Amino acid sequence: MPILEVNNIKKKFDHYNILNGISFSMEEGQAISIIGSSGSGKTTFLRCLNFLERPDEGTIVVKGEKIFDASMPPENPKQLRERRLHFGLVFQQFNLFPQYTALENVILAPRLLKDGRSEQELTDMGMDLLDQMGLADRVNQYPHQLSGGQQQRVAIARALALKPDILCFDEPTSALDPELTGEVLRVIRNLAEKKTTMIIVTHEMAFARDVADEVIFMDKGIILEKGPAEQVINNPKEERTKQFLSNLNN
Ligand SMILES: Nc1ncnc2c1ncn2[C@@H]1O[C@H](COP(=O)(O)OP(=O)(O)OP(=O)(O)O)[C@@H](O)[C@H]1O
Ligand SMILES: [Mg+2]
């Protein structure tokens, strides 16, 4: 059974069709990269998956359970909170809470969930995740004391702390300079090696090709092309994909 099945997701803003029917499925342990021009709807799609926007049409099925159906009445806040837990989202701007340390940022949400874990267990989990991000020596620092790359790695640990089924990244390195980009990409690469299920919106084509199993090329709110990463990036079928990739290289 696929871990995620997205069926015919459509979204309009002010009468403009932004998503025109997005459908695909992915298996547990897969990493999919989404590429495409500015304005093609990549962020809007991730926001729909994370219930930050409500699609106008379509369904979202996670592990065989329909967690969203646009034809059903709007979800109440409790349902939204529960359903959001299926997805983790790491933004371009790290959005850490400035008044909390790295460790506190990671364990804040799981603590609020009151899922029975003790304070010690939460702390151990937070330390372990930060250690995996290469930040063992930074746990007690505040965001302003950390570089952009370090802050982004805290944000990744924070997303993982809720054990999402699918971890989503929206251009996780586009606010970073090249040196700091490398350290964040390494962390994402490690997650892929550990078979973390991920959807990664990125402008880093070489990274998408090397880390993702499959690449989706989005254009004007549809999936124009989807296939094995190497094939879509190195040998795309669609003219529009070729054009997009060659513009990037010029
Ligand atoms: N809340 C909103 N209200 C109105 N229009 C919106 C809203 N959010 C996004 N849009 C429009 O939807 C379109 C798609 O935007 P989106 O941010 O999803 O593109 P993107 O593929 O992520 O682009 P980029 O590569 O620049 O991040 C754009 O034309 C944008 O102006
Ligand atoms: Mg975007």
Side-chain angles (χ1 to χ4, degrees):
M1 187 202 313
I3 193 161
L4 174 66
E5 295 166 82
V6 176
N7 304 299
N8 198 30
I9 293 292
K10 295 189 181 173
K11 179 73 185 169
K12 271 185 200 188
F13 288 120
D14 317 321
H15 308 293
Y16 288 104
N17 295 318
I18 303 301
L19 299 178
N20 290 307
I22 300 286
S23 304
F24 69 94
S25 66
M26 68 188 292
E27 301 296 325
E28 189 159 6
Q30 255 195 332
I32 291 188
S33 270
I34 302 182
I35 61 171
S37 323
S38 185
S40 57
K42 305 179 299 293
T43 295
T44 303
F45 173 65
L46 284 190
R47 289 176 57 83
C48 285
L49 272 189
N50 286 272
F51 304 102
L52 297 171
E53 304 288 352
R54 191 174 196 276
D56 304 321
E57 282 183 50
T59 61
I60 300 172
V61 179
V62 174
K63 292 180 172 168
E65 181 197 350
K66 196 188 278 182
I67 63 163
F68 175 76
D69 185 342
S71 66
M72 302 293 280
E75 302 68 34
N76 64 42
K78 179 166 175 285
Q79 287 169 323
L80 276 181
R81 273 199 303 277
E82 284 168 4
R83 292 168 188 196
R84 277 197 185 120
L85 289 175
H86 291 288
F87 298 92
L89 182 54
V90 176
F91 301 92
Q92 176 177 348
Q93 295 296 344
F94 336 113
N95 298 343
L96 296 178
F97 298 109
Q99 72 275 36
Y100 294 120
T101 64
L103 179 63
E104 287 164 347
N105 263 282
V106 174
I107 64 179
L108 187 67
R111 184 192 281 144
L112 291 174
L113 277 184
K114 297 200 195 331
D115 61 1
R117 281 188 281 184
S118 68
E119 203 47 36
Q120 187 60 51
E121 284 169 315
L122 289 172
T123 301
D124 290 348
M125 175 208 54
M127 301 283 271
D128 181 44
L129 283 170
L130 287 168
D131 185 30
Q132 287 176 40
M133 299 296 127
L135 294 170
D137 54 344
R138 301 282 172 173
V139 292
N140 292 320
Q141 295 198 312
Y142 290 86
H144 76 269
Q145 299 173 307
L146 301 170
S147 72
Q150 290 164 342
Q151 290 185 50
Q152 188 59 305
R153 286 180 284 147
V154 174
I156 296 171
R158 180 176 61 178
L160 287 169
L162 290 168
K163 297 193 183 6
D165 292 311
I166 299 138
L167 186 57
C168 304
F169 293 90
D170 192 1
E171 296 186 30
T173 60
S174 58
L176 302 174
D177 62 37
E179 207 173 326
L180 301 180
T181 294
E183 65 190 35
V184 171
L185 295 185
R186 256 193 306 284
V187 159
I188 300 174
R189 196 183 296 267
N190 282 340
L191 292 173
E193 278 161 11
K194 285 193 258 176
K195 297 287 167 208
T196 309
T197 311
M198 295 188 285
I199 300 177
I200 309 161
V201 171
T202 183
H203 283 145
E204 308 265 348
M205 294 305 134
F207 176 73
R209 182 191 56 212
D210 297 344
V211 166
D213 301 294
E214 289 194 292
V215 167
I216 285 175
F217 174 65
M218 267 181 74
D219 188 45
K220 302 195 181 88
I222 61 160
I223 295 180
L224 196 66
E225 182 160 357
K226 172 175 182 283
E230 172 100 22
Q231 183 245 300
V232 175
I233 304 272
N234 286 357
N235 194 13
K237 292 199 174 89
E238 300 290 333
E239 214 39 56
R240 181 71 192 92
T241 319
K242 286 180 196 164
Q243 198 184 27
F244 169 75
L245 290 167
S246 77
N247 285 345
L248 284 182
N249 294 330
N250 292 333

